[in-house]
């Protein structure tokens, strides 16, 4: 039976650490880290995430500002808000909750964010930094997963890591981070032939597809570390991950639950990235 990795507990430790560091930073510089979150439309899951981000900001002592815009907001209006936030000295991190409504170009919006305030790590400059092994911001979910793995004492170097899913938010940056830590990395997706044969090679298996319980026990090697990024709402209203938890837990060495695994880490790392952003910006101003 696998050891269950407690994401709630580890996220709380990270938030506690960030809160302490933010306090010291405030005492030294007088600066309170500030995060602005923009939500366009009424997607219920996005509303829940944005609420959690504001709550986490309050807990670690950051300023938080929310922009809740209707689904028919124009691209121009959003670009205008981003321009103002780029110039706003009280704001160090800017996050636009994804997905955006169809009439808005996600690429255009992300590119408009000052890359020094891009705490999601989605701006092309930050993606480039990650690819070249010199990141300014690492996307929150993959960064949170690396933190879960390292705090659990799991070795990465030399391991076979398989990432199922190739999104810009999770799959691609996750693969790069595992590669940076010397894993042999495979990325799988909907066109992968014989997916179970590939996932069975994994010492570390990351499931980030968005299909409830699709990773079954026959797709997992004995003793694998299984990280479940999926958050899927079932018809009965319950949450399920991308992994069939019970049967896979019987085979794995470590597994993350849903809820209470990766999810809370994403928010904790957003707090970490926002503090990093405030420090970077303050460092530049103070040394001018
Ligand atoms: N939607 C789902 N995950 C994320 C995330 O990490 N950042 C943003 N901005 N939107 C998301």
């Amino acid at each position: 039976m696998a050891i269950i990795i407690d994401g709630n507990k580890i996220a709380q430790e990270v938030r506690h650490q960030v809160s302490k560091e933010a306090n010291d930073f405030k005492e030294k510089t007088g600066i309170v880290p500030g995060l602005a979150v923009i939500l366009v439309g009424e997607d219920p899951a996005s509303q829940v995430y944005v609420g959690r981000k504001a709550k986490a900001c309050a807990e670690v002592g950051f300023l938080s500002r929310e922009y809740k815009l209707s689904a028919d907001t124009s691209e121009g209006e959003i670009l205008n808000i981003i321009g103002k936030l780029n110039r706003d000295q009280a704001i160090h991190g800017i996050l636009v909750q994804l997905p955006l409504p169809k009439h808005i170009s996600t690429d255009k919006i992300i590119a408009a964010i000052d890359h020094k305030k891009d705490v999601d790590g989605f701006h092309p400059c930050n993606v480039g930094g990650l690819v070249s092994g010199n990141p300014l911001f690492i996307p929150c979910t993959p960064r949170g997963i690396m933190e879960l793995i390292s705090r659990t004492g799991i070795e990465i170097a030399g391991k076979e890591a398989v990432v199922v899913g190739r999104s810009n938010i999770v799959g691609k940056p996750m693969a790069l981070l595992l590669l940076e830590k010397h894993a042999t990395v495979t990325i799988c997706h909907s066109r992968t032939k014989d997916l179970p044969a590939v996932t069975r090679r994994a010492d570390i298996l990351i499931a980030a597809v968005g299909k409830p319980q699709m990773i079954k026990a026959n797709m997992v090697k004995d003793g694998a570390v299984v990280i479940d990024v999926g958050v899927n709402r079932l018809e009965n209203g319950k949450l399920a991950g991308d992994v069939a938890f019970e049967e896979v837990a019987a085979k794995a060495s470590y597994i993350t639950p849903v809820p209470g695994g990766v999810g809370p880490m994403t928010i904790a790392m957003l707090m970490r990235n926002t503090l990093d952003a405030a420090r970077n910006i303050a460092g530049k101003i103070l040394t001018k």
Side-chain angles (χ1 to χ4, degrees):
M1 186 65 191
I3 294 172
I4 296 171
I5 300 175
D6 187 344
N8 281 325
K9 180 166 162 271
I10 298 175
Q12 195 185 11
E13 287 166 13
V14 172
R15 287 197 307 270
H16 186 71
Q17 182 69 32
V18 169
S19 170
K20 262 195 352 211
E21 289 177 30
N23 246 323
D24 293 347
F25 175 69
K26 249 179 266 174
E27 275 177 16
K28 275 197 201 111
T29 64
I31 297 167
V32 177
L35 174 69
V37 177
I38 301 174
L39 171 64
V40 189
E42 282 88 41
D43 179 61
S46 291
Q47 285 177 334
V48 171
Y49 294 141
V50 168
R52 286 194 189 143
K53 286 166 190 173
K55 190 168 159 249
C57 278
E59 194 188 313
V60 299
F62 292 179
L63 166 77
S64 100
R65 242 192 257 155
E66 277 179 39
Y67 295 79
K68 292 191 171 168
L69 310 173
S70 66
D72 60 0
T73 305
S74 72
E75 203 173 82
E77 282 174 75
I78 302 168
L79 291 172
N80 194 24
I81 293 173
I82 291 173
K84 282 191 184 131
L85 292 170
N86 283 342
R87 293 186 294 276
D88 189 332
Q89 295 205 4
I91 295 297
H92 307 94
I94 303 169
L95 180 145
V96 179
Q97 186 66 32
L98 303 180
L100 286 166
K102 295 258 178 311
H103 67 280
I104 296 164
S105 159
T106 302
D107 287 346
K108 215 167 163 181
I109 295 294
I110 289 172
I113 298 171
D114 179 346
H115 76 280
K116 295 184 292 304
K117 297 189 177 186
D118 169 39
V119 284
D120 258 330
F122 296 164
H123 189 285
C125 283
N126 289 325
V127 176
L130 182 61
V131 173
S132 57
N134 188 22
L136 180 59
F137 294 109
I138 297 169
C140 302
T141 300
R143 190 175 184 189
I145 293 170
M146 295 305 281
E147 193 74 23
L148 281 181
I149 292 175
S150 74
R151 286 189 188 232
T152 308
I154 296 162
E155 185 65 43
I156 297 176
K159 297 281 176 67
E160 285 272 351
V162 176
V163 180
V164 190
R166 55 173 156 178
S167 71
N168 291 337
I169 297 180
V170 184
K172 286 186 212 166
M174 189 71 246
L176 288 164
L177 292 173
L178 290 162
L179 183 63
E180 190 67 24
K181 293 289 179 198
H182 318 291
T184 301
V185 183
T186 306
I187 307 180
C188 300
H189 46 78
S190 53
R191 307 272 182 97
T192 298
K193 294 214 170 78
D194 198 356
L195 180 65
V198 183
T199 55
R200 272 198 300 270
R201 292 210 308 259
D203 301 308
I204 300 172
L205 179 60
I206 315 281
V209 234
K211 286 202 183 132
Q213 299 163 340
M214 75 160 282
I215 304 289
K216 310 281 189 209
N218 70 345
M219 300 170 75
V220 177
K221 178 158 104 176
D222 269 326
V225 174
V226 180
I227 307 288
D228 190 348
V229 189
V231 183
N232 308 290
R233 185 73 60 184
L234 300 177
E235 275 175 14
N236 64 11
K238 283 198 175 152
L239 278 187
D242 290 348
V243 176
F245 184 85
E246 297 297 334
E247 60 180 76
V248 172
K251 250 182 140 178
S253 59
Y254 291 93
I255 190 166
T256 62
V258 176
V262 172
M265 289 303 290
T266 297
I267 308 221
M269 299 328 279
L270 175 63
M271 299 302 111
R272 165 61 68 199
N273 279 354
T274 303
L275 177 58
D276 288 351
R279 280 180 170 150
N280 288 339
I281 294 169
K284 293 226 167 64
I285 294 165
L286 296 175
T287 54
K288 246 185 203 168

